[in-house]
Amino acid sequence: MTTVTSESTTRPAAAAKPVRWAADAAAVLREGARLRLDYSAQSLWRVDRGIDGIRREGAPYAAVETVLRGLGAYGGEVIVRQAGGEWWATGGDHWVRTPDGRLWDPIDEARRCFAGHGSLRLLCRDATAGG
């Protein structure tokens, strides 16, 4: 058996889509809004503010649904990296499971943020605090 050394091949299959969505969202924000996202917990403050800005501009949900999914996936990837969690998927939904066994839904949290009552930064804080 060969030794696997790259992160992309050692991660669970459930991570494939959200990791791509997160990378795409980070690239869009880097190019469009000139926001640098480095997968740190602190970067989620900028993501929350960005989502709030989109909401204040009055963008219809249907127009930003893919962006919100990507930003939620980015938030989830921050939790995975900060807390040592992993992506889980079932029925097309994706969650992050932290080592303490708790499940988190950062993609839904991005939607909640867009609705005015969520925060990826606070979700990450709670997820990385342990249980």
Side-chain angles (χ1 to χ4, degrees), residues 5-17:
T5 57
S6 86
E7 181 178 318
S8 64
T9 58
T10 60
R11 301 207 44 198
K17 285 183 181 179

Side-chain angles (χ1 to χ4, degrees), residues 19-120:
V19 168
R20 166 54 58 203
W21 297 333
D24 289 348
V28 165
L29 287 178
R30 183 175 51 251
E31 298 302 320
R34 295 193 176 139
L35 285 178
R36 293 261 178 226
L37 299 180
D38 60 3
Y39 293 94
S40 68
Q42 296 80 13
S43 70
L44 293 176
W45 181 81
R46 292 188 294 275
V47 173
D48 280 349
R49 286 194 53 209
I51 294 172
D52 188 51
I54 293 168
R55 179 176 47 80
R56 283 195 321 263
E57 290 173 4
Y61 176 77
V64 298
E65 182 176 7
T66 301
V67 171
L68 293 173
R69 181 188 67 193
L71 294 174
Y74 174 83
E77 189 60 16
V78 170
I79 294 168
V80 165
R81 294 178 185 199
Q82 300 290 318
E86 64 182 337
W87 283 101
W88 282 51
T90 184
D93 293 325
H94 293 81
W95 302 281
V96 171
R97 183 176 183 264
T98 48
D100 59 15
R102 294 182 295 167
L103 289 172
W104 305 88
D105 191 345
I107 295 172
D108 188 56
E109 192 67 18
R111 294 179 191 122
R112 291 172 38 80
C113 191
F114 181 71
H117 49 83
S119 169
L120 288 167

